[in-house]
Tab-separated table of all heavy atoms in Angstrom:
chain	number	residue	atom	x	y	z
Q	1	MET	N	0.866	-18.883	138.726
Q	1	MET	CA	-0.420	-18.410	139.182
Q	1	MET	C	-1.300	-19.634	139.481
Q	1	MET	O	-1.359	-20.557	138.702
Q	1	MET	CB	-1.038	-17.544	138.065
Q	1	MET	CG	-2.384	-17.015	138.405
Q	1	MET	SD	-3.080	-15.975	137.128
Q	1	MET	CE	-1.856	-14.697	137.035
Q	2	ASP	N	-1.944	-19.632	140.608
Q	2	ASP	CA	-2.744	-20.800	140.933
Q	2	ASP	C	-4.053	-20.793	140.122
Q	2	ASP	O	-4.468	-19.789	139.571
Q	2	ASP	CB	-2.998	-20.901	142.430
Q	2	ASP	CG	-3.878	-19.807	142.990
Q	2	ASP	OD1	-4.481	-19.076	142.203
Q	2	ASP	OD2	-3.973	-19.698	144.204
Q	3	ARG	N	-4.657	-21.934	140.061
Q	3	ARG	CA	-5.823	-22.141	139.172
Q	3	ARG	C	-7.037	-21.325	139.610
Q	3	ARG	O	-7.813	-20.884	138.779
Q	3	ARG	CB	-6.138	-23.625	139.091
Q	3	ARG	CG	-5.037	-24.384	138.373
Q	3	ARG	CD	-5.262	-25.845	138.298
Q	3	ARG	NE	-6.399	-26.279	137.508
Q	3	ARG	CZ	-6.392	-26.361	136.173
Q	3	ARG	NH1	-5.340	-26.052	135.493
Q	3	ARG	NH2	-7.463	-26.786	135.540
Q	4	ILE	N	-7.185	-21.095	140.918
Q	4	ILE	CA	-8.333	-20.319	141.399
Q	4	ILE	C	-8.241	-18.887	140.886
Q	4	ILE	O	-9.214	-18.321	140.393
Q	4	ILE	CB	-8.413	-20.344	142.934
Q	4	ILE	CG1	-8.548	-21.775	143.457
Q	4	ILE	CG2	-9.540	-19.454	143.427
Q	4	ILE	CD1	-9.834	-22.450	143.102
Q	5	ARG	N	-7.048	-18.289	141.017
Q	5	ARG	CA	-6.872	-16.919	140.548
Q	5	ARG	C	-7.047	-16.828	139.037
Q	5	ARG	O	-7.599	-15.873	138.524
Q	5	ARG	CB	-5.480	-16.394	140.926
Q	5	ARG	CG	-5.384	-16.043	142.362
Q	5	ARG	CD	-4.094	-15.378	142.651
Q	5	ARG	NE	-3.982	-15.113	144.073
Q	5	ARG	CZ	-2.913	-14.680	144.652
Q	5	ARG	NH1	-1.824	-14.462	143.948
Q	5	ARG	NH2	-2.887	-14.458	145.938
Q	6	LEU	N	-6.569	-17.846	138.345
Q	6	LEU	CA	-6.723	-17.868	136.904
Q	6	LEU	C	-8.201	-17.935	136.498
Q	6	LEU	O	-8.655	-17.243	135.608
Q	6	LEU	CB	-5.964	-19.056	136.352
Q	6	LEU	CG	-5.552	-19.042	134.902
Q	6	LEU	CD1	-4.887	-17.748	134.522
Q	6	LEU	CD2	-4.653	-20.195	134.595
Q	7	LEU	N	-8.965	-18.768	137.217
Q	7	LEU	CA	-10.422	-18.836	136.960
Q	7	LEU	C	-11.106	-17.518	137.246
Q	7	LEU	O	-11.999	-17.089	136.508
Q	7	LEU	CB	-11.047	-19.953	137.822
Q	7	LEU	CG	-10.941	-21.352	137.278
Q	7	LEU	CD1	-11.460	-22.348	138.293
Q	7	LEU	CD2	-11.694	-21.476	135.975
Q	8	LEU	N	-10.689	-16.839	138.308
Q	8	LEU	CA	-11.282	-15.537	138.612
Q	8	LEU	C	-10.976	-14.513	137.533
Q	8	LEU	O	-11.841	-13.726	137.117
Q	8	LEU	CB	-10.778	-15.042	139.976
Q	8	LEU	CG	-11.301	-15.785	141.187
Q	8	LEU	CD1	-10.609	-15.315	142.451
Q	8	LEU	CD2	-12.804	-15.614	141.319
Q	9	ARG	N	-9.730	-14.509	137.022
Q	9	ARG	CA	-9.367	-13.602	135.940
Q	9	ARG	C	-10.180	-13.918	134.669
Q	9	ARG	O	-10.632	-13.001	133.981
Q	9	ARG	CB	-7.889	-13.699	135.645
Q	9	ARG	CG	-7.046	-13.025	136.702
Q	9	ARG	CD	-5.574	-13.070	136.397
Q	9	ARG	NE	-5.304	-12.278	135.204
Q	9	ARG	CZ	-4.148	-12.352	134.504
Q	9	ARG	NH1	-3.195	-13.164	134.921
Q	9	ARG	NH2	-3.978	-11.626	133.441
Q	10	ILE	N	-10.355	-15.197	134.391
Q	10	ILE	CA	-11.139	-15.600	133.222
Q	10	ILE	C	-12.568	-15.122	133.374
Q	10	ILE	O	-13.151	-14.565	132.441
Q	10	ILE	CB	-11.085	-17.148	133.024
Q	10	ILE	CG1	-9.699	-17.560	132.538
Q	10	ILE	CG2	-12.161	-17.617	132.070
Q	10	ILE	CD1	-9.468	-19.055	132.540
Q	11	GLU	N	-13.128	-15.302	134.534
Q	11	GLU	CA	-14.529	-14.890	134.767
Q	11	GLU	C	-14.684	-13.365	134.671
Q	11	GLU	O	-15.641	-12.875	134.077
Q	11	GLU	CB	-14.995	-15.383	136.138
Q	11	GLU	CG	-16.464	-15.144	136.423
Q	11	GLU	CD	-17.413	-15.818	135.431
Q	11	GLU	OE1	-17.004	-16.822	134.808
Q	11	GLU	OE2	-18.530	-15.340	135.287
Q	12	ARG	N	-13.728	-12.607	135.231
Q	12	ARG	CA	-13.797	-11.160	135.137
Q	12	ARG	C	-13.724	-10.682	133.683
Q	12	ARG	O	-14.476	-9.800	133.277
Q	12	ARG	CB	-12.666	-10.515	135.948
Q	12	ARG	CG	-13.065	-10.293	137.390
Q	12	ARG	CD	-12.018	-9.451	138.107
Q	12	ARG	NE	-11.417	-10.367	139.104
Q	12	ARG	CZ	-10.130	-10.616	139.225
Q	12	ARG	NH1	-9.247	-10.013	138.482
Q	12	ARG	NH2	-9.712	-11.443	140.140
Q	13	LEU	N	-12.819	-11.277	132.940
Q	13	LEU	CA	-12.683	-10.892	131.536
Q	13	LEU	C	-13.905	-11.285	130.716
Q	13	LEU	O	-14.322	-10.566	129.816
Q	13	LEU	CB	-11.433	-11.535	130.913
Q	13	LEU	CG	-10.185	-10.674	130.914
Q	13	LEU	CD1	-9.016	-11.432	130.312
Q	13	LEU	CD2	-10.367	-9.378	130.205
Q	14	ARG	N	-14.478	-12.438	131.033
Q	14	ARG	CA	-15.685	-12.877	130.350
Q	14	ARG	C	-16.846	-11.897	130.575
Q	14	ARG	O	-17.547	-11.512	129.655
Q	14	ARG	CB	-16.093	-14.268	130.805
Q	14	ARG	CG	-17.219	-14.897	129.988
Q	14	ARG	CD	-17.729	-16.153	130.635
Q	14	ARG	NE	-18.336	-15.905	131.933
Q	14	ARG	CZ	-19.577	-15.404	132.094
Q	14	ARG	NH1	-20.308	-15.070	131.086
Q	14	ARG	NH2	-20.065	-15.232	133.315
Q	15	LYS	N	-16.997	-11.446	131.821
Q	15	LYS	CA	-18.029	-10.455	132.146
Q	15	LYS	C	-17.762	-9.140	131.416
Q	15	LYS	O	-18.684	-8.519	130.882
Q	15	LYS	CB	-18.101	-10.228	133.648
Q	15	LYS	CG	-18.748	-11.330	134.399
Q	15	LYS	CD	-18.799	-11.027	135.883
Q	15	LYS	CE	-19.382	-12.185	136.666
Q	15	LYS	NZ	-19.381	-11.921	138.095
Q	16	ARG	N	-16.490	-8.724	131.415
Q	16	ARG	CA	-16.124	-7.479	130.733
Q	16	ARG	C	-16.399	-7.584	129.235
Q	16	ARG	O	-16.873	-6.629	128.617
Q	16	ARG	CB	-14.653	-7.168	130.987
Q	16	ARG	CG	-14.223	-5.854	130.470
Q	16	ARG	CD	-12.846	-5.516	130.932
Q	16	ARG	NE	-12.319	-4.423	130.158
Q	16	ARG	CZ	-11.051	-4.140	130.016
Q	16	ARG	NH1	-10.151	-4.888	130.643
Q	16	ARG	NH2	-10.667	-3.131	129.281
Q	17	LEU	N	-16.137	-8.735	128.662
Q	17	LEU	CA	-16.396	-8.955	127.236
Q	17	LEU	C	-17.896	-8.844	126.933
Q	17	LEU	O	-18.294	-8.222	125.973
Q	17	LEU	CB	-15.871	-10.328	126.819
Q	17	LEU	CG	-15.973	-10.688	125.348
Q	17	LEU	CD1	-15.079	-9.797	124.501
Q	17	LEU	CD2	-15.589	-12.154	125.146
Q	18	ASN	N	-18.699	-9.423	127.817
Q	18	ASN	CA	-20.156	-9.349	127.641
Q	18	ASN	C	-20.720	-7.944	127.785
Q	18	ASN	O	-21.730	-7.614	127.191
Q	18	ASN	CB	-20.855	-10.287	128.608
Q	18	ASN	CG	-20.712	-11.732	128.216
Q	18	ASN	OD1	-20.521	-12.050	127.054
Q	18	ASN	ND2	-20.786	-12.620	129.192
Q	19	GLU	N	-20.052	-7.109	128.594
Q	19	GLU	CA	-20.518	-5.757	128.852
Q	19	GLU	C	-20.013	-4.756	127.812
Q	19	GLU	O	-20.483	-3.629	127.771
Q	19	GLU	CB	-20.081	-5.296	130.241
Q	19	GLU	CG	-20.734	-6.087	131.356
Q	19	GLU	CD	-20.110	-5.818	132.712
Q	19	GLU	OE1	-19.080	-5.110	132.780
Q	19	GLU	OE2	-20.652	-6.339	133.696
Q	20	THR	N	-19.080	-5.178	126.972
Q	20	THR	CA	-18.482	-4.282	125.992
Q	20	THR	C	-19.446	-3.988	124.856
Q	20	THR	O	-20.181	-4.866	124.411
Q	20	THR	CB	-17.177	-4.895	125.421
Q	20	THR	OG1	-16.319	-5.163	126.518
Q	20	THR	CG2	-16.489	-3.951	124.460
Q	21	ASN	N	-19.427	-2.766	124.396
Q	21	ASN	CA	-20.271	-2.355	123.281
Q	21	ASN	C	-19.920	-3.179	122.037
Q	21	ASN	O	-18.758	-3.210	121.629
Q	21	ASN	CB	-20.046	-0.863	122.998
Q	21	ASN	CG	-20.914	-0.349	121.882
Q	21	ASN	OD1	-21.709	-1.073	121.300
Q	21	ASN	ND2	-20.767	0.930	121.594
Q	22	PRO	N	-20.872	-3.854	121.427
Q	22	PRO	CA	-20.610	-4.697	120.236
Q	22	PRO	C	-20.010	-3.936	119.065
Q	22	PRO	O	-19.375	-4.513	118.214
Q	22	PRO	CB	-21.963	-5.285	119.862
Q	22	PRO	CG	-22.813	-5.126	121.082
Q	22	PRO	CD	-22.276	-3.956	121.836
Q	23	GLU	N	-20.218	-2.635	119.012
Q	23	GLU	CA	-19.690	-1.849	117.904
Q	23	GLU	C	-18.223	-1.474	118.100
Q	23	GLU	O	-17.573	-0.999	117.172
Q	23	GLU	CB	-20.546	-0.617	117.707
Q	23	GLU	CG	-21.962	-0.977	117.245
Q	23	GLU	CD	-22.822	0.254	117.058
Q	23	GLU	OE1	-22.316	1.363	117.121
Q	23	GLU	OE2	-24.044	0.051	116.857
Q	24	ASP	N	-17.697	-1.657	119.299
Q	24	ASP	CA	-16.290	-1.336	119.574
Q	24	ASP	C	-15.433	-2.574	119.310
Q	24	ASP	O	-15.015	-3.287	120.214
Q	24	ASP	CB	-16.140	-0.868	121.029
Q	24	ASP	CG	-14.773	-0.287	121.303
Q	24	ASP	OD1	-13.931	-0.281	120.404
Q	24	ASP	OD2	-14.567	0.150	122.445
Q	25	ARG	N	-15.166	-2.831	118.053
Q	25	ARG	CA	-14.485	-4.051	117.633
Q	25	ARG	C	-13.058	-4.167	118.162
Q	25	ARG	O	-12.599	-5.254	118.487
Q	25	ARG	CB	-14.490	-4.176	116.126
Q	25	ARG	CG	-15.867	-4.420	115.584
Q	25	ARG	CD	-15.858	-4.571	114.107
Q	25	ARG	NE	-17.206	-4.799	113.641
Q	25	ARG	CZ	-17.516	-5.740	112.790
Q	25	ARG	NH1	-16.607	-6.496	112.284
Q	25	ARG	NH2	-18.761	-5.900	112.426
Q	26	ASP	N	-12.330	-3.052	118.225
Q	26	ASP	CA	-10.955	-3.115	118.705
Q	26	ASP	C	-10.877	-3.589	120.148
Q	26	ASP	O	-10.083	-4.430	120.505
Q	26	ASP	CB	-10.280	-1.750	118.566
Q	26	ASP	CG	-10.070	-1.358	117.122
Q	26	ASP	OD1	-9.969	-2.273	116.253
Q	26	ASP	OD2	-9.979	-0.148	116.844
Q	27	GLU	N	-11.750	-3.038	120.975
Q	27	GLU	CA	-11.758	-3.454	122.380
Q	27	GLU	C	-12.231	-4.903	122.523
Q	27	GLU	O	-11.677	-5.671	123.315
Q	27	GLU	CB	-12.643	-2.516	123.226
Q	27	GLU	CG	-12.532	-2.806	124.694
Q	27	GLU	CD	-13.294	-1.824	125.569
Q	27	GLU	OE1	-13.748	-0.789	125.053
Q	27	GLU	OE2	-13.430	-2.102	126.742
Q	28	LEU	N	-13.225	-5.285	121.742
Q	28	LEU	CA	-13.703	-6.672	121.777
Q	28	LEU	C	-12.583	-7.635	121.405
Q	28	LEU	O	-12.392	-8.669	122.049
Q	28	LEU	CB	-14.893	-6.858	120.825
Q	28	LEU	CG	-16.227	-6.338	121.287
Q	28	LEU	CD1	-17.252	-6.447	120.164
Q	28	LEU	CD2	-16.717	-7.083	122.510
Q	29	GLN	N	-11.816	-7.300	120.374
Q	29	GLN	CA	-10.729	-8.183	119.942
Q	29	GLN	C	-9.636	-8.262	121.012
Q	29	GLN	O	-9.109	-9.323	121.293
Q	29	GLN	CB	-10.115	-7.691	118.632
Q	29	GLN	CG	-10.895	-8.097	117.430
Q	29	GLN	CD	-10.174	-7.717	116.151
Q	29	GLN	OE1	-9.486	-6.712	116.105
Q	29	GLN	NE2	-10.353	-8.516	115.127
Q	30	ALA	N	-9.301	-7.143	121.612
Q	30	ALA	CA	-8.255	-7.119	122.641
Q	30	ALA	C	-8.656	-7.982	123.838
Q	30	ALA	O	-7.884	-8.802	124.331
Q	30	ALA	CB	-7.964	-5.688	123.075
Q	31	ILE	N	-9.887	-7.817	124.304
Q	31	ILE	CA	-10.371	-8.597	125.444
Q	31	ILE	C	-10.468	-10.073	125.075
Q	31	ILE	O	-10.080	-10.944	125.864
Q	31	ILE	CB	-11.737	-8.066	125.934
Q	31	ILE	CG1	-11.607	-6.658	126.498
Q	31	ILE	CG2	-12.329	-8.987	126.987
Q	31	ILE	CD1	-12.924	-5.986	126.786
Q	32	SER	N	-10.928	-10.351	123.871
Q	32	SER	CA	-11.049	-11.741	123.425
Q	32	SER	C	-9.684	-12.434	123.368
Q	32	SER	O	-9.557	-13.586	123.770
Q	32	SER	CB	-11.730	-11.757	122.067
Q	32	SER	OG	-11.850	-13.066	121.617
Q	33	ARG	N	-8.675	-11.726	122.856
Q	33	ARG	CA	-7.326	-12.309	122.814
Q	33	ARG	C	-6.801	-12.614	124.206
Q	33	ARG	O	-6.220	-13.677	124.431
Q	33	ARG	CB	-6.355	-11.357	122.098
Q	33	ARG	CG	-6.389	-11.516	120.620
Q	33	ARG	CD	-5.236	-10.752	119.992
Q	33	ARG	NE	-5.755	-10.115	118.790
Q	33	ARG	CZ	-5.949	-8.811	118.635
Q	33	ARG	NH1	-5.620	-7.964	119.593
Q	33	ARG	NH2	-6.475	-8.343	117.538
Q	34	ARG	N	-6.998	-11.666	125.125
Q	34	ARG	CA	-6.548	-11.898	126.505
Q	34	ARG	C	-7.268	-13.092	127.120
Q	34	ARG	O	-6.660	-13.916	127.799
Q	34	ARG	CB	-6.766	-10.655	127.361
Q	34	ARG	CG	-5.660	-9.645	127.185
Q	34	ARG	CD	-5.847	-8.508	128.142
Q	34	ARG	NE	-6.474	-7.441	127.367
Q	34	ARG	CZ	-7.213	-6.475	127.878
Q	34	ARG	NH1	-7.419	-6.384	129.161
Q	34	ARG	NH2	-7.749	-5.569	127.111
Q	35	LEU	N	-8.567	-13.161	126.870
Q	35	LEU	CA	-9.368	-14.263	127.398
Q	35	LEU	C	-8.895	-15.599	126.805
Q	35	LEU	O	-8.755	-16.578	127.547
Q	35	LEU	CB	-10.838	-14.028	127.077
Q	35	LEU	CG	-11.860	-14.956	127.709
Q	35	LEU	CD1	-11.729	-14.981	129.221
Q	35	LEU	CD2	-13.255	-14.527	127.317
Q	36	ASP	N	-8.621	-15.621	125.519
Q	36	ASP	CA	-8.114	-16.840	124.893
Q	36	ASP	C	-6.796	-17.294	125.512
Q	36	ASP	O	-6.610	-18.484	125.792
Q	36	ASP	CB	-7.913	-16.640	123.390
Q	36	ASP	CG	-9.225	-16.517	122.616
Q	36	ASP	OD1	-10.272	-16.894	123.203
Q	36	ASP	OD2	-9.180	-16.064	121.478
Q	37	ARG	N	-5.891	-16.357	125.736
Q	37	ARG	CA	-4.612	-16.704	126.355
Q	37	ARG	C	-4.788	-17.288	127.748
Q	37	ARG	O	-4.108	-18.246	128.123
Q	37	ARG	CB	-3.705	-15.471	126.415
Q	37	ARG	CG	-3.053	-15.166	125.100
Q	37	ARG	CD	-1.987	-14.079	125.272
Q	37	ARG	NE	-2.002	-13.264	124.091
Q	37	ARG	CZ	-2.299	-11.961	124.047
Q	37	ARG	NH1	-2.531	-11.306	125.175
Q	37	ARG	NH2	-2.310	-11.312	122.922
Q	38	LEU	N	-5.671	-16.690	128.527
Q	38	LEU	CA	-5.898	-17.184	129.885
Q	38	LEU	C	-6.516	-18.582	129.864
Q	38	LEU	O	-6.164	-19.447	130.677
Q	38	LEU	CB	-6.816	-16.228	130.662
Q	38	LEU	CG	-6.190	-14.939	131.136
Q	38	LEU	CD1	-7.253	-14.062	131.807
Q	38	LEU	CD2	-5.048	-15.206	132.094
Q	39	ILE	N	-7.419	-18.828	128.935
Q	39	ILE	CA	-8.058	-20.137	128.852
Q	39	ILE	C	-7.020	-21.200	128.470
Q	39	ILE	O	-6.979	-22.292	129.055
Q	39	ILE	CB	-9.254	-20.124	127.868
Q	39	ILE	CG1	-10.377	-19.285	128.473
Q	39	ILE	CG2	-9.719	-21.538	127.533
Q	39	ILE	CD1	-11.505	-19.013	127.513
Q	40	VAL	N	-6.172	-20.867	127.508
Q	40	VAL	CA	-5.104	-21.807	127.114
Q	40	VAL	C	-4.173	-22.065	128.297
Q	40	VAL	O	-3.791	-23.207	128.573
Q	40	VAL	CB	-4.336	-21.278	125.904
Q	40	VAL	CG1	-3.057	-22.068	125.660
Q	40	VAL	CG2	-5.212	-21.319	124.666
Q	41	GLN	N	-3.817	-21.010	129.010
Q	41	GLN	CA	-2.947	-21.145	130.189
Q	41	GLN	C	-3.606	-22.054	131.228
Q	41	GLN	O	-2.962	-22.901	131.830
Q	41	GLN	CB	-2.657	-19.773	130.764
Q	41	GLN	CG	-1.655	-19.768	131.885
Q	41	GLN	CD	-1.410	-18.344	132.388
Q	41	GLN	OE1	-1.843	-17.366	131.801
Q	41	GLN	NE2	-0.725	-18.229	133.484
Q	42	PHE	N	-4.911	-21.877	131.424
Q	42	PHE	CA	-5.635	-22.686	132.384
Q	42	PHE	C	-5.647	-24.167	131.963
Q	42	PHE	O	-5.396	-25.049	132.759
Q	42	PHE	CB	-7.076	-22.178	132.535
Q	42	PHE	CG	-7.921	-22.990	133.461
Q	42	PHE	CD1	-7.793	-22.833	134.830
Q	42	PHE	CD2	-8.817	-23.921	132.988
Q	42	PHE	CE1	-8.581	-23.577	135.704
Q	42	PHE	CE2	-9.584	-24.667	133.845
Q	42	PHE	CZ	-9.469	-24.503	135.212
Q	43	LEU	N	-5.912	-24.415	130.676
Q	43	LEU	CA	-6.010	-25.785	130.207
Q	43	LEU	C	-4.652	-26.488	130.171
Q	43	LEU	O	-4.582	-27.695	130.346
Q	43	LEU	CB	-6.631	-25.827	128.811
Q	43	LEU	CG	-8.116	-25.430	128.753
Q	43	LEU	CD1	-8.594	-25.395	127.335
Q	43	LEU	CD2	-8.946	-26.386	129.573
Q	44	ARG	N	-3.596	-25.757	129.929
Q	44	ARG	CA	-2.252	-26.364	129.881
Q	44	ARG	C	-1.588	-26.481	131.241
Q	44	ARG	O	-0.584	-27.158	131.381
Q	44	ARG	CB	-1.352	-25.534	128.969
Q	44	ARG	CG	-1.714	-25.704	127.523
Q	44	ARG	CD	-0.699	-25.007	126.671
Q	44	ARG	NE	-1.051	-25.194	125.260
Q	44	ARG	CZ	-0.503	-24.528	124.270
Q	44	ARG	NH1	0.416	-23.628	124.521
Q	44	ARG	NH2	-0.871	-24.766	123.033
Q	45	GLY	N	-2.115	-25.831	132.225
Q	45	GLY	CA	-1.528	-25.850	133.558
Q	45	GLY	C	-1.666	-27.199	134.225
Q	45	GLY	O	-2.241	-28.134	133.676
Q	46	PRO	N	-1.113	-27.328	135.428
Q	46	PRO	CA	-1.192	-28.600	136.147
Q	46	PRO	C	-2.657	-28.982	136.396
Q	46	PRO	O	-3.458	-28.166	136.799
Q	46	PRO	CB	-0.484	-28.335	137.466
Q	46	PRO	CG	-0.096	-26.896	137.469
Q	46	PRO	CD	-0.433	-26.300	136.160
Q	47	GLY	N	-2.971	-30.203	136.061
Q	47	GLY	CA	-4.344	-30.683	136.242
Q	47	GLY	C	-5.232	-30.383	135.061
Q	47	GLY	O	-6.391	-30.738	135.053
Q	48	GLY	N	-4.685	-29.700	134.054
Q	48	GLY	CA	-5.460	-29.350	132.882
Q	48	GLY	C	-5.363	-30.459	131.835
Q	48	GLY	O	-4.775	-31.507	132.054
Q	49	VAL	N	-5.932	-30.235	130.680
Q	49	VAL	CA	-5.888	-31.214	129.613
Q	49	VAL	C	-4.653	-30.980	128.757
Q	49	VAL	O	-4.123	-29.886	128.692
Q	49	VAL	CB	-7.160	-31.166	128.730
Q	49	VAL	CG1	-8.364	-31.526	129.533
Q	49	VAL	CG2	-7.326	-29.812	128.107
Q	50	THR	N	-4.203	-32.046	128.110
Q	50	THR	CA	-3.000	-31.916	127.275
Q	50	THR	C	-3.328	-31.860	125.801
Q	50	THR	O	-2.489	-31.524	124.996
Q	50	THR	CB	-2.046	-33.092	127.533
Q	50	THR	OG1	-2.753	-34.306	127.323
Q	50	THR	CG2	-1.510	-33.043	128.954
Q	51	CYS	N	-4.549	-32.212	125.415
Q	51	CYS	CA	-4.935	-32.094	124.013
Q	51	CYS	C	-6.442	-31.921	123.925
Q	51	CYS	O	-7.177	-32.178	124.858
Q	51	CYS	CB	-4.474	-33.322	123.221
Q	51	CYS	SG	-5.380	-34.812	123.565
Q	52	ARG	N	-6.891	-31.481	122.770
Q	52	ARG	CA	-8.319	-31.238	122.588
Q	52	ARG	C	-9.148	-32.497	122.725
Q	52	ARG	O	-10.291	-32.451	123.174
Q	52	ARG	CB	-8.579	-30.616	121.212
Q	52	ARG	CG	-8.244	-29.157	121.198
Q	52	ARG	CD	-8.451	-28.491	119.869
Q	52	ARG	NE	-9.495	-29.023	119.083
Q	52	ARG	CZ	-9.685	-28.732	117.809
Q	52	ARG	NH1	-8.845	-27.933	117.216
Q	52	ARG	NH2	-10.678	-29.242	117.120
Q	53	ALA	N	-8.599	-33.644	122.335
Q	53	ALA	CA	-9.362	-34.885	122.438
Q	53	ALA	C	-9.675	-35.201	123.903
Q	53	ALA	O	-10.777	-35.636	124.217
Q	53	ALA	CB	-8.583	-36.028	121.823
Q	54	ASN	N	-8.739	-34.924	124.803
Q	54	ASN	CA	-8.990	-35.155	126.227
Q	54	ASN	C	-10.050	-34.202	126.748
Q	54	ASN	O	-10.808	-34.535	127.654
Q	54	ASN	CB	-7.709	-34.992	127.043
Q	54	ASN	CG	-6.745	-36.116	126.798
Q	54	ASN	OD1	-7.106	-37.157	126.262
Q	54	ASN	ND2	-5.515	-35.925	127.202
Q	55	LEU	N	-10.096	-32.993	126.192
Q	55	LEU	CA	-11.086	-32.021	126.618
Q	55	LEU	C	-12.501	-32.532	126.341
Q	55	LEU	O	-13.408	-32.316	127.124
Q	55	LEU	CB	-10.846	-30.687	125.856
Q	55	LEU	CG	-11.768	-29.540	126.160
Q	55	LEU	CD1	-11.609	-29.102	127.621
Q	55	LEU	CD2	-11.480	-28.376	125.266
Q	56	CYS	N	-12.672	-33.254	125.246
Q	56	CYS	CA	-13.990	-33.771	124.892
Q	56	CYS	C	-14.248	-35.176	125.456
Q	56	CYS	O	-15.290	-35.750	125.207
Q	56	CYS	CB	-14.129	-33.824	123.360
Q	56	CYS	SG	-13.998	-32.223	122.600
Q	57	GLY	N	-13.273	-35.730	126.140
Q	57	GLY	CA	-13.474	-37.046	126.748
Q	57	GLY	C	-13.094	-38.202	125.845
Q	57	GLY	O	-13.389	-39.349	126.142
Q	58	TYR	N	-12.425	-37.929	124.723
Q	58	TYR	CA	-12.035	-38.999	123.819
Q	58	TYR	C	-10.658	-39.536	124.192
Q	58	TYR	O	-9.804	-38.806	124.661
Q	58	TYR	CB	-12.007	-38.494	122.365
Q	58	TYR	CG	-13.349	-38.076	121.870
Q	58	TYR	CD1	-13.651	-36.735	121.698
Q	58	TYR	CD2	-14.326	-39.007	121.570
Q	58	TYR	CE1	-14.875	-36.340	121.219
Q	58	TYR	CE2	-15.563	-38.629	121.116
Q	58	TYR	CZ	-15.831	-37.288	120.932
Q	58	TYR	OH	-17.068	-36.893	120.486
Q	59	SER	N	-10.440	-40.781	123.899
Q	59	SER	CA	-9.158	-41.408	124.152
Q	59	SER	C	-8.284	-41.290	122.903
Q	59	SER	O	-8.780	-41.446	121.776
Q	59	SER	CB	-9.332	-42.873	124.515
Q	59	SER	OG	-8.094	-43.502	124.559
Q	60	MET	N	-7.010	-41.030	123.075
Q	60	MET	CA	-6.094	-40.908	121.940
Q	60	MET	C	-5.383	-42.235	121.647
Q	60	MET	O	-4.532	-42.294	120.773
Q	60	MET	CB	-5.055	-39.822	122.217
Q	60	MET	CG	-5.625	-38.417	122.287
Q	60	MET	SD	-6.391	-37.889	120.744
Q	60	MET	CE	-4.935	-37.643	119.745
Q	61	GLU	N	-5.717	-43.297	122.361
Q	61	GLU	CA	-5.035	-44.579	122.192
Q	61	GLU	C	-5.131	-45.121	120.778
Q	61	GLU	O	-4.158	-45.605	120.225
Q	61	GLU	CB	-5.598	-45.607	123.165
Q	61	GLU	CG	-5.261	-45.331	124.606
Q	61	GLU	CD	-5.937	-46.324	125.533
Q	61	GLU	OE1	-6.489	-47.346	125.052
Q	61	GLU	OE2	-5.943	-46.068	126.732
Q	62	ASN	N	-6.294	-45.035	120.190
Q	62	ASN	CA	-6.511	-45.624	118.852
Q	62	ASN	C	-6.487	-44.559	117.746
Q	62	ASN	O	-6.926	-44.823	116.643
Q	62	ASN	CB	-7.864	-46.368	118.812
Q	62	ASN	CG	-7.866	-47.516	119.775
Q	62	ASN	OD1	-6.856	-48.187	119.963
Q	62	ASN	ND2	-9.004	-47.754	120.424
Q	63	TYR	N	-5.988	-43.382	118.070
Q	63	TYR	CA	-5.966	-42.322	117.095
Q	63	TYR	C	-5.040	-42.664	115.924
Q	63	TYR	O	-3.901	-43.039	116.098
Q	63	TYR	CB	-5.496	-41.007	117.744
Q	63	TYR	CG	-5.553	-39.817	116.829
Q	63	TYR	CD1	-6.762	-39.234	116.513
Q	63	TYR	CD2	-4.390	-39.309	116.283
Q	63	TYR	CE1	-6.815	-38.149	115.653
Q	63	TYR	CE2	-4.439	-38.210	115.436
Q	63	TYR	CZ	-5.646	-37.633	115.130
Q	63	TYR	OH	-5.709	-36.566	114.278
Q	64	GLY	N	-5.548	-42.566	114.707
Q	64	GLY	CA	-4.730	-42.825	113.529
Q	64	GLY	C	-4.608	-44.300	113.146
Q	64	GLY	O	-3.899	-44.625	112.219
Q	65	LYS	N	-5.306	-45.161	113.839
Q	65	LYS	CA	-5.223	-46.596	113.501
Q	65	LYS	C	-6.354	-46.989	112.583
Q	65	LYS	O	-7.381	-46.443	112.542
Q	65	LYS	CB	-5.273	-47.433	114.771
Q	65	LYS	CG	-4.014	-47.250	115.608
Q	65	LYS	CD	-4.081	-48.182	116.795
Q	65	LYS	CE	-2.805	-47.975	117.605
Q	65	LYS	NZ	-2.773	-48.817	118.754
């Protein structure tokens, strides 16, 4: 799946999550899980980040030294 379509799916799910009734916990959890999976897929895809440190702009060169 290309990154543009993935971004569109993420945005649609994000809007749906915001529109969901806060008292409907089962639906909120289901949408949230799907959204989490899509975000991970987006970040791990080509051109994405490979670790959380890169996401924040930190270098892993000196990690653990």
Side-chain angles (χ1 to χ4, degrees):
M1 179 178 300
D2 68 12
R3 292 178 66 79
I4 301 294
R5 284 188 183 172
L6 201 49
L7 278 174
L8 289 173
R9 286 182 65 194
I10 289 171
E11 186 61 23
R12 271 189 248 126
L13 265 179
R14 188 189 65 77
K15 285 181 184 178
R16 186 171 165 202
L17 184 66
N18 286 334
E19 294 169 354
T20 303
N21 182 0
E23 295 179 9
D24 191 358
R25 291 181 181 227
D26 292 335
E27 187 175 349
L28 284 173
Q29 279 186 327
I31 294 171
S32 179
R33 274 191 222 110
R34 278 186 261 156
L35 188 56
D36 289 345
R37 281 190 215 118
L38 285 176
I39 291 170
V40 168
Q41 186 179 351
F42 178 79
L43 291 176
R44 288 187 178 167
V49 296
T50 56
C51 71
R52 281 179 33 193
N54 288 346
L55 181 63
C56 298
Y58 296 107
S59 171
M60 293 298 288
E61 291 176 11
N62 297 323
Y63 184 75
K65 292 184 180 180

